[in-house]
Amino acid sequence: MKKTHIIGLIVIAIAVAILVSTGTEASTYVDFSVAENMAKTGDNDQVHVVGKLKKDAAGNIQDLVYNPTLDANHLEFMLIDNNGREQKVVYNAPKPQDMGRAEQMVIIGNMDGNVFKCEKILLKCPSKYQDGKVEFKEAKPEKQS
């Protein structure tokens, strides 16, 4: 075999290893009950929970705790999962810009006691297009310098 063939096989093997390792780290969509049971059994794997913000009749977010003058990296809110369970969520990063407009959101994290500690938020915003395409925005915490 030529050296280029060997190098090519090594590159392919590394690419397959990366794909396999990232595929096994992916979590599944669950509800808050499953996340709570996982935490009680000592399973601290991150999970994805899909839900809607708790809003009043006027569309205002209820039970939102965010005061950027005191701590811009602390956000608390209530999320209602697809089974109707309300859960307090704590996100230690700035509030996502379009959070109030989101139809649904996916939060990634795990249960810690009686709160869900969120590491990442994905917002499902209303589509800008008429053809039914869905737009997802990932809310990323800003890095401190």
Side-chain angles (χ1 to χ4, degrees):
M1 280 186 141
K2 293 183 179 181
K3 285 185 178 182
T4 56
H5 290 109
I6 293 172
I7 292 172
L9 288 174
I10 291 172
V11 169
I12 291 172
I14 291 171
V16 168
I18 290 171
L19 289 173
V20 169
S21 68
T22 58
T24 57
E25 292 175 8
S27 65
T28 57
Y29 290 96
V30 299
D31 58 34
F32 286 123
S33 299
V34 173
E36 184 177 46
N37 288 336
M38 288 174 65
K40 285 180 181 177
T41 61
D43 186 354
N44 290 326
D45 289 341
Q46 289 192 343
V47 294
H48 291 70
V49 178
V50 179
K52 295 182 179 185
L53 289 168
K54 184 178 177 182
K55 295 183 178 181
D56 61 15
N60 299 317
I61 302 171
Q62 292 184 323
D63 302 321
L64 177 71
V65 177
Y66 182 66
N67 189 342
T69 57
L70 292 178
D71 187 358
N73 291 319
H74 185 79
L75 171 67
E76 296 179 14
F77 57 94
M78 294 297 286
L79 191 74
I80 303 170
D81 69 12
N82 290 337
N83 290 338
R85 177 176 166 177
E86 290 183 21
Q87 181 64 52
K88 181 178 180 179
V89 178
V90 175
Y91 182 55
N92 290 316
K95 179 182 165 196
Q97 184 177 6
D98 294 330
M99 187 172 172
R101 291 186 15 202
E103 291 176 3
Q104 279 190 326
M105 57 193 322
V106 178
I107 55 174
I108 303 169
N110 56 1
M111 290 294 291
D112 184 14
N114 61 347
V115 299
F116 188 91
K117 294 283 185 161
C118 180
E119 299 292 325
K120 189 185 291 187
I121 297 176
L122 302 171
L123 301 174
K124 180 181 176 188
C125 296
S127 179
K128 296 179 183 176
Y129 307 102
Q130 297 289 331
D131 61 1
K133 290 184 182 177
V134 177
E135 176 185 334
F136 280 96
K137 284 185 151 185
E138 179 177 346
K140 294 182 181 179
E142 295 178 12
K143 296 191 179 190
Q144 304 276 333
S145 52

